[in-house]
Amino acid sequence: MGRNKFSSLLIGFSISIFSFYGILVRSDASDHRYNEGDNVPLYANKVGPFHNPSETYRYFDLPFCVTGKEKDKTEALGEVLNGDRLVSAPYALDFKKDKDSNSVCKKKLTKEQVALFREAVKKDYYFQMYYDDLPIWGFIGTMDKEGKADPSEYKYFLYKHIQFDVLYNKDRVIEISARMDPHSVVDLTEDKEVDAEFLYTVKWKETDIPFEKRMEKYSQSSSLPNHLEIHWFSIINSCVTVLLLTGFLATILMRVLKNDFMKYAQDEEGADDQEETGWKYIHGDVFRFPKSKSLFSAALGSGTQLFTLTIFIFMLALVGVFYPYNRGALFTALVVIYALTSGIAGYTATSFYIQLEGSNWVRNLLLTGCLFCGPLFLMFCFLNTVAIAYSATAALPFGTILVIVLIWTLVTSPLLVLGGIAGKNSRAEFQAPVRTTKYPREIPPLPWYRSTTPQMAMAGFLPFSAIYIELYYIFASVWGHRIYTIYSILFIVFIILLIVTAFITVALTYFQLAAEDHGWWWRSFLCGGSTGLFIYGYCLYYYYARSNMSGFMQTSFFFGYMACICYGFFLMLGSVGFRASLLFVRHIYRSIKCE
């Protein structure tokens, strides 16, 4: 009773916090009204190679015009984690005031500055700005390769004239875009000083698009009708195929189980001295607790927490919190929800550890707290050092690191301990329908394809095939410049992933028990989580075949953080696979009589 009450209280508390968080995120959206001539804030955010989304730098790391009045904008935690570093831009875009070729500044670019700009143009640098919370992009220059086979003959040009086209509806800004003038450029090909005058033009135009729909442009650009139809068709095709395969396997398994039940019932009515075979034969060993029970319980607790985190992220996504360019909302949600759900990890791990007759629950709780956070922290330290070496915006400031440490110290750790104490006091016993013998039976020799690694390969392939198509769209959004907004499709795919993972793990557990191998505990967890290894394999394919990412920093960020994400998937799906197998094993042994 206490266990159910604690779980309900914790989940209810989390839901209320997340609802409040959703209101806060939505209220952060810009809803400013302006009079003619009012100064609407324009912030320059960052610059970087177009094909390397993690390698971004501050806007004024390049020698653009500086007026001396630039000020950094105070940013939320999620925005800093996202690599945003907003600073006021040297362009004055007053509300409904057209400007034609206004000068920002005249400056003589030194040889070093010319070389810096030329290297940026060579790497296809883009810039990003925000105007009334609306994003603006543009390239800083262009290369002339026409008719030139030798790269040393290429010419490099810097754009020096930018035109802002702004749409407004009454007293609100609705849309903005930036166009670079291809005829107003600075030649950067040679190493010599160059005189440049940077100009900008502003054109205002009225529109009837309501303010509430101004972000729809970005959603529509990511899901054009033809693309959306193909997307839905691909997902439905994939899901139907996977569900048919799962259905066939389920039918076969149910028929086999039915025959087993009939056979064992006949054996009980027949001669008492008839030798038992198959999964009934190992009934005295099947509930023998696994080796490394503390590690097993910690993995189960961490996986359960990550599963809860994923569910709450989907809840926020489906109610519209993560609308396009709600800067840092996803990162803020991940940090906040992970901290608040740490009690679930502590409770699950410790209560299960106590059920497995473990004695050192404090060590188990420490292991639970470090199992996922430990590797993530070590990876962060390495990647943050790389970002600092590159002077990139991905390097977190000391203040932000301190905030995260305080969240972990003041929220995550206390909730983890409280959950652990509640789990210890639950004193629930492990529900085993049959008694475990004193000495374990010897596992018979099995063919190679029944060993752990081939079983993991078989277990991971079917769930991975269910999400394969959707992975491309997610990767193109996270590691590219596409916008992902179709969370309903993603949620459907996630549910199918859980169903397929649970069933394939159950099927493989049955075949393992039928071969009289009673070491199913760790095997079910490893088989369930093996989809995470397939996803990491897809990372290799995506990096080399589907993306143009390059350079040490981008490569280390991609493979480093994807390793952490895939490890999280491994823990989460491993927990799902084990829970499904535990329910199945309890059911089949409860359905027969065992002496």
Side-chain angles (χ1 to χ4, degrees):
M1 184 70 180
R3 178 181 176 182
N4 293 334
K5 189 179 291 185
F6 172 78
S7 301
S8 303
L9 182 65
L10 192 59
I11 291 172
F13 172 72
S14 301
I15 290 174
S16 62
I17 291 293
F18 304 153
S19 302
F20 180 64
Y21 167 80
I23 295 170
L24 285 179
V25 171
R26 279 191 165 279
S27 65
D28 190 50
S30 175
D31 188 11
H32 298 131
R33 298 174 183 270
Y34 302 99
N35 297 316
E36 184 173 343
D38 285 353
N39 178 259
V40 184
L42 173 67
Y43 293 102
N45 188 13
K46 51 193 176 184
V47 295
F50 183 75
H51 298 294
N52 288 354
S54 299
E55 187 184 347
T56 54
Y57 306 95
R58 290 177 175 272
Y59 182 79
F60 289 109
D61 284 352
L62 291 177
F64 289 112
C65 290
V66 179
T67 63
K69 299 179 181 179
E70 289 77 16
K71 291 183 179 180
D72 290 333
K73 182 178 184 293
T74 304
E75 294 167 305
L77 174 63
E79 294 172 336
V80 178
L81 294 175
N82 194 42
D84 291 340
R85 302 291 186 272
L86 273 65
V87 61
S88 55
Y91 306 101
L93 276 64
D94 299 327
F95 192 69
K96 294 170 65 173
K97 288 288 186 180
D98 287 349
K99 294 183 180 180
D100 189 20
S101 299
N102 272 33
S103 177
V104 182
C105 75
K106 295 180 181 179
K107 66 184 302 185
K108 182 184 286 291
L109 298 176
T110 65
K111 290 182 181 180
E112 291 77 14
Q113 291 175 332
V114 167
L116 198 61
F117 270 129
R118 182 171 62 243
E119 188 65 20
V121 172
K122 187 185 296 186
K123 291 183 178 179
D124 212 19
Y125 268 43
Y126 73 100
F127 67 82
Q128 186 188 46
M129 298 182 180
Y130 281 95
Y131 184 67
D132 196 47
D133 276 352
L134 292 172
I136 317 167
W137 306 269
F139 288 95
I140 69 167
T142 183
M143 279 193 295
D144 181 13
K145 301 181 181 179
E146 191 173 348
K148 301 175 181 66
D150 187 356
S152 63
E153 298 178 356
Y154 292 167
K155 291 189 174 183
Y156 304 93
F157 300 98
L158 174 70
Y159 293 126
K160 62 178 184 178
H161 190 177
I162 179 172
Q163 176 171 325
F164 297 98
D165 295 307
V166 193
L167 299 182
Y168 69 95
N169 186 342
K170 297 178 181 176
D171 54 0
R172 286 167 161 179
V173 177
I174 302 299
E175 187 178 315
I176 185 170
S177 60
R179 289 185 294 145
M180 316 308 291
D181 187 351
H183 303 294
S184 180
V185 294
V186 177
D187 192 342
L188 305 172
T189 308
E190 298 179 13
D191 276 324
K192 64 179 183 179
E193 294 184 348
V194 177
D195 290 317
E197 182 180 12
F198 291 90
L199 308 167
Y200 71 103
T201 297
V202 185
K203 299 292 184 184
W204 289 84
K205 185 178 178 182
E206 192 167 10
T207 180
D208 57 359
I209 299 174
F211 178 81
E212 293 74 19
K213 294 185 177 181
R214 72 173 188 162
M215 301 306 293
E216 287 187 1
K217 167 192 172 183
Y218 306 103
S219 302
Q220 291 168 357
S221 65
S222 66
S223 56
L224 298 173
N226 291 338
H227 292 169
L228 186 59
E229 288 178 11
I230 295 170
H231 195 170
W232 269 110
F233 178 77
S234 301
I235 293 301
I236 292 172
N237 183 49
S238 173
C239 292
V240 168
T241 304
V242 169
L243 290 176
L244 282 175
L245 289 172
T246 307
F248 288 140
L249 194 57
T251 305
I252 293 169
L253 185 59
M254 289 174 66
R255 290 175 69 90
V256 170
L257 269 175
K258 185 178 179 182
N259 292 336
D260 284 350
F261 289 145
M262 292 176 62
K263 175 190 170 187
Y264 293 143
Q266 291 172 359
D267 290 347
E268 290 166 8
E269 295 171 1
D272 292 336
D273 60 348
Q274 188 170 356
E275 186 179 356
E276 295 179 346
T277 58
W279 52 268
K280 184 182 178 183
Y281 175 66
I282 58 170
H283 64 81
D285 297 284
V286 75
F287 290 104
R288 190 177 305 282
F289 298 149
K291 297 178 180 178
S292 306
K293 61 178 73 173
S294 183
L295 178 61
F296 188 85
S297 301
L300 190 64
S302 297
T304 305
Q305 179 189 6
L306 292 171
F307 175 74
T308 309
L309 167 68
T310 306
I311 293 298
F312 279 120
I313 289 293
F314 270 116
M315 287 168 56
L316 293 177
L318 292 172
V319 298
V321 170
F322 305 130
Y323 54 86
Y325 297 101
N326 184 3
R327 298 192 309 278
L330 177 60
F331 289 103
T332 304
L334 287 171
V335 171
V336 171
I337 298 175
Y338 183 84
L340 292 173
T341 54
S342 58
I344 294 174
Y347 179 82
T348 304
T350 307
S351 63
F352 198 77
Y353 181 66
I354 295 298
Q355 289 179 43
L356 298 184
E357 300 175 0
S359 56
N360 197 341
W361 66 275
V362 176
R363 185 181 66 180
N364 172 252
L365 200 60
L366 290 173
L367 184 60
T368 305
C370 298
L371 193 64
F372 181 72
C373 285
L376 181 63
F377 174 74
L378 293 175
M379 184 62 69
F380 163 76
C381 290
F382 168 70
L383 295 179
N384 204 58
T385 303
V386 172
I388 291 171
Y390 274 74
S391 300
T393 60
L396 295 188
F398 176 76
T400 303
I401 296 174
L402 186 62
V403 167
I404 294 175
V405 170
L406 286 174
I407 290 174
W408 193 86
T409 305
L410 301 178
V411 180
T412 305
S413 298
L415 286 177
L416 182 72
V417 172
L418 287 174
I421 293 172
K424 174 183 173 292
N425 295 332
S426 65
R427 302 204 177 276
E429 294 184 0
F430 185 79
Q431 302 296 321
V434 293
R435 285 181 297 178
T436 301
T437 57
K438 189 173 182 180
Y439 300 104
R441 293 180 184 270
E442 186 178 350
I443 297 174
L446 299 174
W448 66 270
Y449 55 83
R450 286 188 180 274
S451 60
T452 303
T453 304
Q455 294 283 295
M456 288 176 65
M458 285 189 281
F461 177 75
L462 195 60
F464 174 75
S465 64
I467 63 173
Y468 169 76
I469 295 172
E470 201 62 20
L471 278 180
Y472 169 75
Y473 294 98
I474 296 171
F475 274 55
S477 173
V478 176
W479 301 105
H481 299 281
R482 291 197 179 190
I483 307 166
Y484 195 95
T485 56
I486 318 172
Y487 298 109
S488 54
I489 293 181
L490 188 59
F491 186 65
I492 293 170
V493 171
F494 179 70
I495 295 299
I496 290 174
L497 172 65
L498 296 179
I499 293 171
V500 176
T501 297
F503 188 81
I504 196 70
T505 309
V506 164
L508 289 174
T509 299
Y510 169 78
F511 295 134
Q512 182 182 356
L513 296 177
E516 300 178 6
D517 180 358
H518 51 78
W520 64 275
W521 295 69
W522 273 110
R523 180 77 65 85
S524 64
F525 193 96
L526 294 173
C527 287
S530 60
T531 306
L533 302 178
F534 276 81
I535 296 174
Y536 200 67
Y538 179 81
C539 293
L540 294 168
Y541 164 74
Y542 182 85
Y543 183 86
Y544 291 107
R546 304 301 294 270
S547 77
N548 294 311
M549 291 184 279
S550 61
F552 177 74
M553 178 182 169
Q554 182 61 46
T555 303
S556 58
F557 264 70
F558 178 77
F559 286 108
Y561 280 128
M562 284 311 303
C564 294
I565 292 170
C566 293
Y567 174 53
F569 263 90
F570 175 82
L571 293 173
M572 179 180 72
L573 295 178
S575 300
V576 171
F578 169 72
R579 289 290 188 187
S581 296
L582 181 60
L583 287 172
F584 169 75
V585 173
R586 278 176 172 161
H587 171 73
I588 62 174
Y589 281 96
R590 196 178 285 121
S591 303
I592 60 169
K593 292 182 180 179
C594 298
E595 298 297 331

